[in-house]
């Protein structure tokens, strides 16, 4: 029996393999040691055998409450991801493989979205005549930070373009690299938006320009981090004062936003603890106003109609006026551009409104939510400016 995490986004440390019913493992922390919860590894064993895997440092993870009712994701073909019986007790996460069906099984905190699939996504959309791929800059590990621009206008930066009055919609995903459901959502959104048979996508492209960063944190993604980049920076706490030494990803995105302007911002995330899909808005920013409140309410109500996975009852506490943390992307962008800005959160566990015991929250449901998000954007696009 063998366990390996020496691959893209892999993360696990082997402590002991002596007993198939007590395999002892530990999650490797992000650079800096502050955060860890993401794991992703392959176990190679014998068909028909049972294996019990114990992650001994789970109690010290970034969000230990996220282990409550959590079930690990697993796949034999890296396409269909199902859930394994998982329990948490006394700081130890126990994952049970009742019977191996093939020699190798991949087990992860959530279905991975590999860097190779990220490259495939970029390559697939660039063939569309309205798509331009723009290199925003290099990450600290010298990877490309890529922007997908979708527009029927010839001008690259439209803020001061007299030929168009189209609003600019910005979408970012995976500031926290372990939140892979975010890029699954963007994949669904992109393909739906560019589908010539999708009336919602066609209508939106007639009305707005799109600027989409499918992966804000490619370094952390490849390294198998939960929340940080190559030097341990939590990008979603770096928007007030980004710099090229510790947060170039945010620095380059803001530079481009300043060139284009932002009229709607959609920052896509996953939440380790809350088993629902919900929005976190900018109500606590200093300049929040009735116009933005109306847009937010309309966006949320239409998204509820477009996707039964989305709800508005459960979520984060709403910030009191003027108390928002301005280092967060949604808050900073909302204040800087006086625009509708929302963080979308999806669960790692399952959506308790519509639970699925086989897959829990899944890549497929994330993709469908991306498609539904376009309906909500269409509902508000004419009122953005």
């Amino acid at each position: 029996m063998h366990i390996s995490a020496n691959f893209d986004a892999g993360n696990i440390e082997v402590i002991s393999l002596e007993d198939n019913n007590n395999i002892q493992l530990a999650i490797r922390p992000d650079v800096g040691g502050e955060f860890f919860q993401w794991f992703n590894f392959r176990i190679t064993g014998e068909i028909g055998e049972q294996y019990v895997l114990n992650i001994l440092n789970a109690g010290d993870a970034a969000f230990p409450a996220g282990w409550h009712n959590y079930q690990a994701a697993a796949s034999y073909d890296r396409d269909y991801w199902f859930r394994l019986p998982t329990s948490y007790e006394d700081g130890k996460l126990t994952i049970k493989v009742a019977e191996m069906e093939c020699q190798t099984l991949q087990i992860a905190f959530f279905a991975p979205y590999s860097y190779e699939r990220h490259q495939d996504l970029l390559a697939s959309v660039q063939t569309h005549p309205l798509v331009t791929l723009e290199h925003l800059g290099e990450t600290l590990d010298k990877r490309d930070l890529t922007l997908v621009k979708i527009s029927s206008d010839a001008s690259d930066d439209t803020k001061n373009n007299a030929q168009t009055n189209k609003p600019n919609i910005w979408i970012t995903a995976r500031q926290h690299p372990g939140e892979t459901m975010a890029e699954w959502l963007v994949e669904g959104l992109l393909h739906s938006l560019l589908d010539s048979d999708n009336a919602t996508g066609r209508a939106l492209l007639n009305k707005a320009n799109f600027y989409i960063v499918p992966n804000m944190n490619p370094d952390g993604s490849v390294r198998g981090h939960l929340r940080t980049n190559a030097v341990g920076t939590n990008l979603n706490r770096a928007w007030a004062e980004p710099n090229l030494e510790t947060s170039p990803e945010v620095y380059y995105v803001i530079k481009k936003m300043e060139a284009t302007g932002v009229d709607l911002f959609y920052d896509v995330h996953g939440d380790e603890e809350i088993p629902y899909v919900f929005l976190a808005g900018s109500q606590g920013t200093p300049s929040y106003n009735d116009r933005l409140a109306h847009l937010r309410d309309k966006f949320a109500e239409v998204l509820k109609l477009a996707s039964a996975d989305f709800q508005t009852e459960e979520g984060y506490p709403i910030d009191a006026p003027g108390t928002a943390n301005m280092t967060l992307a949604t808050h900073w962008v909302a204040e800087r551009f006086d625009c509708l800005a929302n963080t979308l959160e999806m669960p790692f566990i399952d959506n308790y409104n519509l639970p699925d015991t086989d897959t829990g929250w899944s890549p497929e449901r994330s993709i469908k939510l991306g498609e539904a998000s376009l309906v909500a954007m269409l509902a508000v696009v004419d009122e953005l400016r």
Side-chain angles (χ1 to χ4, degrees), residues 352-374:
Y352 279 10
N353 283 342
L354 289 167
D356 188 318
T357 56
D358 291 331
T359 64
W361 188 254
S362 64
E364 292 78 12
R365 293 172 80 173
S366 303
I367 286 169
K368 292 297 184 183
L369 186 60
E371 298 170 0
S373 297
L374 295 176

Side-chain angles (χ1 to χ4, degrees), residues 21 29 33 100 104 106 110 131 150 158-159 176 178 180 207 222 224 229 240 267 301 337:
N21 289 307
M100 287 282 282
T104 299
Q106 188 161 336
F110 190 81
V131 170
I150 311 172
T158 60
K159 183 174 67 170
H176 298 148
T180 55
K207 294 173 177 287
V222 173
N229 70 359
D267 187 29
E301 287 304 310
F337 297 101

Side-chain angles (χ1 to χ4, degrees), residues 42-354:
R42 286 195 292 264
I43 175 171
T44 301
E46 297 184 18
I47 295 175
E49 283 293 310
Q50 172 182 287
Y51 297 94
V52 179
L53 305 106
N54 293 302
I55 298 179
L56 303 184
N57 64 343
D60 296 322
F63 305 96
W67 302 128
H68 179 65
N69 288 338
Y70 170 77
Q71 305 289 292
S75 179
Y76 287 106
D77 61 6
R78 300 201 301 171
D79 182 26
Y80 172 71
W81 290 84
F82 56 93
R83 299 291 178 144
L84 291 171
T86 306
S87 60
Y88 176 69
E89 187 174 358
D90 297 329
K92 179 177 67 177
L93 188 75
T94 300
I95 304 168
K96 294 183 178 180
V97 182
E99 184 178 344
M100 287 282 282
E101 298 178 11
C102 300
Q103 285 89 353
T104 299
L105 177 66
Q106 188 161 336
I107 301 173
F109 187 36
F110 190 81
Y113 197 102
S114 71
Y115 189 63
E116 188 66 23
R117 190 179 183 104
H118 169 73
Q119 298 297 333
D120 287 342
L121 176 63
L122 297 177
S124 67
V125 299
Q126 75 168 346
T127 61
H128 193 283
L130 300 185
V131 170
T132 302
L133 298 187
E134 181 174 339
H135 173 69
L136 295 180
E138 283 189 344
T139 67
L140 294 168
D141 281 343
K142 304 301 181 182
R143 292 187 176 87
D144 294 337
L145 185 66
T146 304
L147 172 75
V148 180
K149 182 197 172 187
I150 311 172
S151 176
S152 58
D153 297 308
S155 174
D156 180 46
D157 296 329
T158 60
K159 183 174 67 170
N160 298 314
N161 181 8
Q163 297 178 342
T164 179
N165 291 316
K166 288 183 179 180
N168 296 316
I169 296 175
W170 271 83
I171 301 167
T172 56
R174 291 188 79 180
Q175 288 200 75
H176 298 148
E179 297 166 12
T180 55
M181 61 283 290
E183 194 160 8
W184 287 110
L185 180 144
V186 167
E187 179 179 307
L189 183 148
L190 270 169
H191 287 314
S192 185
L193 182 63
L194 297 174
D195 182 356
S196 62
D197 294 322
N198 186 311
T200 299
R202 290 181 62 186
L204 271 171
L205 290 176
N206 286 333
K207 294 173 177 287
N209 306 303
F210 280 79
Y211 297 86
I212 303 174
V213 184
N215 189 340
M216 281 281 294
N217 197 338
D219 291 352
S221 300
V222 173
R223 286 168 172 255
H225 286 186
L226 175 72
R227 286 177 79 79
T228 68
N229 70 359
V231 294
T233 300
N234 180 348
L235 296 183
N236 203 29
R237 299 297 185 274
W239 284 71
E241 296 180 348
N243 62 73
L244 293 175
E245 289 71 38
T246 63
S247 51
E249 302 90 347
V250 176
Y251 178 90
Y252 289 127
V253 167
I254 286 179
K255 183 179 179 181
K256 183 65 178 182
M257 285 179 166
E258 295 284 5
T260 66
V262 184
D263 300 297
L264 186 154
F265 180 55
Y266 202 47
D267 187 29
V268 189
H269 285 258
D271 186 274
E272 290 82 358
E273 298 178 356
I274 301 177
Y276 298 96
V277 179
F278 61 95
L279 289 176
S282 60
Q283 294 94 319
T285 55
S287 300
Y288 193 73
N289 53 50
D290 290 343
R291 179 182 71 87
L292 297 180
H294 163 73
L295 288 171
R296 185 187 186 281
D297 289 345
K298 186 172 184 179
F299 186 97
E301 287 304 310
V302 173
L303 188 54
K304 283 174 66 176
L305 294 174
S307 173
D309 270 322
F310 177 73
Q311 55 80 54
T312 55
E313 288 75 30
E314 303 289 340
Y316 301 145
I318 296 175
D319 293 326
T323 66
N325 181 348
M326 300 307 294
T327 67
L328 274 69
T330 287
H331 298 160
W332 187 91
V333 172
E335 185 69 13
R336 169 63 184 84
F337 297 101
D338 186 30
C339 70
L340 173 62
N342 283 310
T343 301
L344 178 75
E345 297 281 359
M346 292 172 283
F348 278 86
I349 304 171
D350 201 350
N351 177 5
Y352 279 10
N353 283 342
L354 289 167

